[in-house]
């Protein structure tokens, strides 16, 4: 029953930003996310290639209008509502435009796809070195002892970071070894079954998650 003050897009992924059209409020995003969304068509068309993105599992959103952000920030933006503060922080890693929303008084931080819990993360646009640094920062002030809300899945504690950190470090090591041997992308793709075993993916989703890892 309260008025909606703003919509914050923590990344550019279509399964999130297609919802912008349903809300009568200003849309805010980091500058890289806003720039990416400005390049989208006015109306969503279902993707023709399979990449494992969540939007590919939805067939009835073709024709949905895409609303780009009206406001963008470069590094940090603080929203004020009475005594409440919401700090929006540009936190690249999982992708170049990734952002977090930090509510310091409530000790909550929304981290989008920077934290994957149940399914393999999206790696296609990742800077894994920056990503690992971002995950490490969640263990320290000002985020210590906070509730962490990922973009997919329920609220988690800092202990959940260890699994993703291990996964990313393993991926970096294994792909790095292939690079040192001057092997090609086809050789890297053979790692997909091993990476898939890190996650308890239901049988119905294994094909899509394999495409995501590919």
């Amino acid at each position: 029953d309260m008025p909606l003050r703003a919509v914050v897009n923590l990344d550019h992924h279509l399964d999130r930003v297609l919802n912008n059209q349903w809300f009568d409020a200003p849309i805010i995003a980091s500058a890289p996310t806003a720039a990416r969304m400005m390049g989208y068509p006015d109306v969503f068309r279902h993707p023709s290639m399979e990449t494992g993105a969540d939007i590919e599992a939805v067939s009835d959103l073709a024709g949905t209008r895409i609303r780009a952000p009206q406001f963008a920030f470069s590094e940090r933006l603080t929203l004020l509502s009475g005594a409440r503060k919401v700090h929006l922080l540009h936190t690249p890693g999982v992708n170049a435009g990734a952002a977090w929303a930090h509510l310091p008084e409530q000790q909550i931080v929304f981290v989008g796809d920077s934290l994957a819990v149940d399914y393999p993360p999206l790696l296609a646009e990742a800077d894994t070195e920056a990503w690992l640094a971002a995950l490490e920062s969640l263990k320290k002030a000002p985020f210590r002892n906070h509730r962490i809300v990922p973009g997919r899945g329920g609220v988690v504690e800092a202990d959940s970071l260890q699994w993703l950190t291990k996964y990313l470090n393993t991926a970096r090591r294994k792909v790095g070894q292939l690079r040192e041997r001057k092997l090609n992308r086809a050789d890297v793709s053979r790692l997909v079954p091993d990476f898939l075993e890190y996650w308890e993916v239901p049988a119905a989703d294994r094909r899509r998650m394999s495409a995501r890892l590919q």
Side-chain angles (χ1 to χ4, degrees):
D1 59 347
M2 299 295 289
L4 187 65
R5 303 291 297 275
V7 174
V8 180
N9 291 157
L10 299 184
D11 59 48
H12 62 274
H13 293 140
L14 284 163
D15 57 307
R16 305 240 173 74
V17 303
L18 283 178
N19 293 290
N20 289 346
Q21 73 158 345
W22 308 116
F23 302 111
D24 183 18
I27 301 165
I28 305 170
S30 72
T33 290
R36 180 71 173 269
M37 291 173 63
M38 292 293 288
Y40 285 164
D42 292 336
V43 175
F44 170 65
R45 298 176 180 85
H46 199 270
S48 57
M49 63 182 295
E50 188 175 9
T51 65
D54 286 351
I55 195 65
E56 295 164 7
V58 181
S59 59
D60 59 353
L61 289 177
T64 300
R65 186 165 59 96
I66 300 177
R67 289 184 62 205
Q70 289 86 40
F71 299 96
F73 62 95
S74 57
E75 295 182 13
R76 180 187 182 99
L77 177 67
T78 298
L79 306 179
L80 303 176
S81 179
R84 175 171 293 177
K85 295 181 181 179
V86 180
H87 300 303
L88 305 182
L89 311 169
H90 179 211
T91 314
V94 61
N95 59 66
W100 295 353
H102 181 212
L103 285 69
E105 287 83 3
Q106 291 75 28
Q107 291 192 309
I108 300 171
V109 56
F110 294 84
V111 298
D113 279 342
S114 293
L115 181 58
V117 178
D118 299 321
Y119 282 85
L122 299 159
L123 294 170
E125 302 176 48
D127 176 341
T128 52
E129 187 173 2
W131 192 354
L132 287 164
L135 291 174
E136 188 64 26
S137 73
L138 285 173
K139 304 174 185 177
K140 306 172 184 177
F143 308 114
R144 187 181 289 115
N145 300 323
H146 278 37
R147 285 174 288 171
I148 304 169
V149 186
R152 297 167 173 82
V155 177
V156 299
E157 305 297 332
D159 290 347
S160 298
L161 304 174
Q162 297 176 357
W163 180 249
L164 181 57
T165 297
K166 177 183 177 182
Y167 175 77
L168 292 175
N169 278 318
T170 301
R172 284 170 58 87
R173 176 173 53 80
K174 289 189 173 183
V175 173
Q177 289 170 346
L178 294 181
R179 183 182 180 187
E180 289 173 1
R181 292 162 56 193
K182 302 186 185 308
L183 300 181
N184 58 30
R185 289 175 180 267
D187 296 295
V188 176
S189 70
R190 297 192 184 100
L191 297 174
V192 168
D194 290 340
F195 287 161
L196 193 61
E197 293 306 316
Y198 275 75
W199 307 87
E200 296 180 1
V201 176
D205 284 342
R206 289 183 70 86
R207 176 179 173 181
R208 187 162 61 89
M209 292 301 102
S210 292
R212 176 179 293 186
L213 289 168
Q214 180 76 35

